[in-house]
Amino acid sequence: MAATSSSLLLISTDNVFSGTTTINAETSPTCPANAYGRAKLDAERVLLARTPAAIVLRVSLVYGYESVTTGKWLNFFAACAHRLSRGAPVQAPSDQWTTPVHVDDVAAVVTALLTATTEIPSLLHLGGPDRISRAQWAGTIAESLQVPRSLVTAVPKASGRYAARPENTCLTSHFLSALPAVQDVAVRGVVEAAHALAPAFLQ
């Protein structure tokens, strides 16, 4: 167990798993499918070996509003929403599954863990409540923007920039929801979050 009120928390990734199983908990065996996952797993091990009071929080696909002027690779939600809001088509993989989590919910969970007054496990998972393919999720984004779902075309992940991603990047937790520190944090599903974010993309 980590000490209470830890001052060090590492955000890690769902890419520490192979992607061959539909969902992964803290007790699931790790087997990174790509270099990013291997680097994150190495960082987890180094941190926990040197700083036992630290917390590792593996987070599934994080999303939220980003401006098109950031000059960076936009998160999946923002990339889709900007295109769809202009009536532009979107291609999204139908064979890459995730449990997306809104960035504001990640921030709320991180704050709660770092200010906890009870013991916190040294390894935790944070995923959203919905397991969904990117293609299905893009359709949900289209509906929240009130544009035709037909603008979204489902494609194989091998055809685009998600080729190196595991088939399943989905997280669940055996421990997080039972922690007193996070009892007041509500992690939103993709439909609720999409409707909350939509107005920012329609301005």
Side-chain angles (χ1 to χ4, degrees):
M1 300 289 286
T4 59
S5 299
S6 174
S7 61
L8 184 57
L9 183 149
L10 171 68
I11 299 290
S12 192
T13 177
D14 45 23
N15 278 236
V16 300
F17 298 104
S18 66
T20 57
T21 56
T22 57
I23 201 81
N24 290 287
E26 293 92 346
T27 54
S28 301
T30 54
C31 183
N34 51 43
Y36 174 64
R38 290 191 292 274
K40 281 289 194 176
L41 186 58
D42 286 345
E44 292 180 11
R45 290 169 173 167
V46 170
L47 176 65
L48 294 179
R50 296 183 179 180
T51 313
I55 301 168
V56 169
L57 181 66
R58 293 176 182 152
V59 181
S60 197
L61 183 60
V62 181
Y63 66 96
Y65 178 79
E66 288 184 290
S67 169
V68 292
T69 62
T70 58
K72 62 179 283 292
W73 185 347
L74 298 179
N75 70 78
F76 180 79
F77 187 104
C80 289
H82 281 300
R83 288 187 60 83
L84 291 167
S85 66
R86 303 193 306 268
V90 164
Q91 292 186 336
S94 59
D95 55 352
Q96 208 270 320
W97 299 76
T98 186
T99 44
V101 57
H102 191 300
V103 64
D104 289 352
D105 298 338
V106 176
V109 169
V110 168
T111 300
L113 293 176
L114 289 175
T115 57
T117 57
T118 56
E119 287 193 332
I120 303 296
S122 58
L123 175 62
L124 290 167
H125 282 187
L126 173 59
D130 302 311
R131 178 179 179 270
I132 192 168
S133 73
R134 288 183 187 260
Q136 291 174 327
W137 190 19
T140 298
I141 297 167
E143 290 178 348
S144 74
L145 295 168
Q146 298 184 345
V147 300
R149 197 178 180 113
S150 58
L151 287 171
V152 177
T153 300
V155 297
K157 71 183 180 73
S159 66
R161 68 185 192 181
Y162 302 106
R165 301 292 177 90
E167 179 180 350
N168 293 285
T169 51
C170 305
L171 297 179
T172 190
S173 179
H174 290 320
F175 312 115
L176 188 65
S177 63
L179 296 176
V182 299
Q183 291 305 300
D184 295 330
V185 179
V187 178
R188 287 165 283 188
V190 294
V191 173
E192 179 184 357
H195 282 89
L197 286 167
F201 294 92
L202 295 172
Q203 294 177 357

